[in-house]
Amino acid sequence: MACASSLDLSNSLSHRTQLFKPSQSRKPNSVSFPTASLNGSAGAQINGSSEFPKINGTHKPTKINGSKPINGSGLINGSSSTHLNGFDGINGDVGLRVAFQGSFGAYSEFAAKTAYPDCITLPRRSFADALAAVECGHADRAVLPVESTMEGTELRNYDLLLRHDLSIVQEINLFVHYCLLAMPGVRQTQLRRVISHPMALAHCGRALAQLGLDREPVEDTAGAVEMLRANRLLDTAAIASPRAASLYGLDVLAQGLQDESWNVTRFLLLSKSPAKKVFKNAKTSMVIAHRGGSMMVVLKVLSAFSSRNINLKKLEVINSSGAGKAPVMILDVRGRGSLRAFPQVLYVDCEGSIEDPVVKEAIEEIERFSVFVRLLGCYTADTNVYDLQ
């Protein structure tokens, strides 16, 4: 597996709390989901109490699909519109098809609905299937989680991005809030095991140890809820979102299960066509490939941007050279459309638009000393953090 290392830049994801500042958090004015009514109370009694357990210092939520911002902030950019980053298709985002991995109620679906509130979400079995749906014309966008405050960069999903001819057109930072869900009327004392995505189980390790439940991994969080409901499992709980509880009619026995209270995932929205020309608050993402001399290349990349006063938002070094390590495969979209193998690559996010002559100059300089450069997208930077509650 490739090794990754990040430089601690001014707003780099390696210093997580700087990028996802609570003071910058916003939430759409309204996000519309087809929800099912809850069968029973969302706060079923646990050990004789009608309150949620206060795990990791969290308390009972006020809404599942409401529009309350994380920190009481108002409308996005002073506008009452729920359409983020100025998406203005033929009919806004009505009818826009967005493919996501998992079942209805997954966090990826919420990211899609946060970006495009009136879109049609299309569940797919895998992330590769979601990207393929866009390439085949079965979907207009795909949503892909690429990094989180708890896990860092998801290299496998970046690898997927590099293997497909899709462009980043938007980013969404989503606060991931894990809840313990059970069939209506089931008490915590009746539970013997808990099912969820392996990462969700790992993120909630301390809370699950306190609850004393056996852990069983499944494909995704919403899929766990679907399994729980379909089989009417009375001795099993699932870890998923409050949105999933509402959709499938389950009780929320506990909330805030995650070991780290500040748990944010960054999602990318991908399209076959690049975003419209972006100038204000623009971010440009690219991958730079080279062979040998990693530190020298990193210094040259830094020089190309710093000499032009361009701020970097992300610089991540992937080194897959060495025995037993698979190279990074990148689709050469400007060549014959073939996959090319590279032992060392850099993921770079910089401030500024590709239409900016200064940014163009920096990229042209990098192309002169690197083996390969591919632009992944130019889009509006969104440092807001969106919440399900």
Side-chain angles (χ1 to χ4, degrees):
M1 182 175 290
C3 298
S5 60
S6 297
L7 293 183
D8 189 3
L9 307 173
S10 58
N11 283 312
S12 170
L13 280 179
S14 58
H15 190 54
R16 304 295 176 182
T17 57
Q18 287 191 9
L19 177 61
F20 304 115
K21 292 180 180 177
S23 61
Q24 296 174 332
S25 302
R26 297 289 189 274
K27 180 177 174 63
N29 185 42
S30 165
V31 177
S32 176
F33 287 100
T35 57
S37 60
L38 274 163
N39 298 325
S41 169
Q45 289 191 356
I46 302 175
N47 299 328
S49 171
S50 60
E51 273 295 309
F52 288 90
K54 297 177 182 178
I55 298 177
N56 295 333
T58 54
H59 300 275
K60 183 176 180 179
T62 56
K63 297 180 180 179
I64 289 179
N65 289 317
S67 58
K68 185 179 179 181
I70 293 178
N71 280 313
S73 49
L75 304 176
I76 297 175
N77 299 328
S79 168
S80 60
S81 172
T82 61
H83 297 249
L84 308 185
N85 295 336
F87 177 79
D88 56 355
I90 297 174
N91 295 305
D93 56 55
V94 175
L96 190 76
R97 301 164 302 168
V98 183
F100 69 96
Q101 185 274 330
S103 304
F104 290 113
Y107 290 99
S108 290
E109 188 200 15
F110 187 80
K113 282 288 189 178
T114 303
Y116 309 117
D118 296 320
C119 73
I120 299 169
T121 50
L122 307 175
R124 291 294 183 268
R125 183 176 180 85
S126 68
F127 292 116
D129 290 340
L131 271 60
V134 178
E135 290 186 319
C136 296
H138 298 154
D140 305 298
R141 301 283 190 276
V143 59
L144 192 68
V146 292
E147 50 201 318
S148 74
T149 54
M150 292 187 70
E151 293 292 329
T153 299
E154 176 53 76
L155 292 179
R156 286 175 297 178
N157 284 352
Y158 264 115
D159 287 346
L160 275 177
L161 174 59
L162 299 184
R163 290 169 177 263
H164 293 264
D165 186 10
L166 299 176
S167 296
I168 304 170
V169 295
Q170 194 168 337
E171 64 178 350
I172 290 292
N173 300 314
L174 183 65
F175 182 79
V176 177
H177 185 83
Y178 290 123
C179 296
L180 188 70
L181 312 182
M183 291 294 295
V186 171
R187 295 174 178 268
Q188 186 268 327
T189 53
Q190 298 173 257
L191 300 176
R192 296 294 178 266
R193 65 170 181 161
V194 58
I195 56 176
S196 194
H197 186 276
M199 189 174 293
L201 294 173
H203 287 178
C204 304
R206 289 199 296 267
L208 294 180
Q210 293 176 14
L211 294 171
L213 300 177
D214 294 332
R215 307 171 199 182
E216 184 175 316
V218 295
E219 287 188 350
D220 59 85
T221 55
V225 173
E226 200 172 42
M227 182 188 305
L228 186 70
R229 185 71 187 182
N231 296 292
R232 299 190 62 82
L233 303 174
L234 302 181
D235 65 343
T236 303
I239 295 176
S241 69
R243 143 79 174 140
S246 176
L247 180 63
Y248 292 95
L250 299 177
D251 285 352
V252 180
L253 299 187
Q255 60 135 5
L257 291 174
Q258 59 270 15
D259 292 341
E260 302 294 334
S261 59
W262 191 240
N263 184 20
V264 178
T265 296
R266 180 187 180 214
F267 294 84
L268 299 179
L269 280 298
L270 308 174
S271 171
K272 289 181 71 173
S273 302
K276 294 181 179 180
K277 291 183 179 180
V278 180
F279 296 96
K280 185 178 181 182
N281 298 325
K283 178 189 287 189
T284 298
S285 296
M286 68 194 77
V287 60
I288 302 166
H290 59 98
R291 302 182 191 279
S294 296
M295 186 52 65
M296 183 60 67
V297 173
V298 170
L299 293 175
K300 287 182 177 181
V301 169
L302 289 173
S303 175
F305 289 109
S306 64
S307 63
R308 295 172 175 84
N309 294 319
I310 300 172
N311 291 326
L312 294 187
K313 308 297 288 184
K314 174 187 179 72
L315 175 56
E316 188 150 6
V317 181
I318 310 299
N319 186 357
S320 59
S321 59
K325 294 182 179 179
V328 178
M329 306 300 294
I330 305 177
L331 183 67
D332 187 352
V333 296
R334 293 189 297 181
R336 298 180 180 179
S338 58
L339 286 171
R340 299 178 61 182
F342 298 99
Q344 297 160 330
V345 300
L346 280 71
Y347 294 116
V348 176
D349 291 348
C350 72
E351 290 182 353
S353 169
I354 189 59
E355 303 297 328
D356 187 335
V358 177
V359 176
K360 283 185 177 181
E361 287 178 7
I363 295 173
E364 288 170 357
E365 179 180 332
I366 293 170
E367 287 177 330
R368 288 195 291 269
F369 62 77
S370 62
V371 177
F372 178 81
V373 176
R374 176 180 155 189
L375 296 178
L376 301 177
C378 179
Y379 47 98
T380 302
D382 190 350
T383 58
N384 298 311
V385 174
Y386 302 91
D387 191 11
L388 282 82
Q389 299 186 61

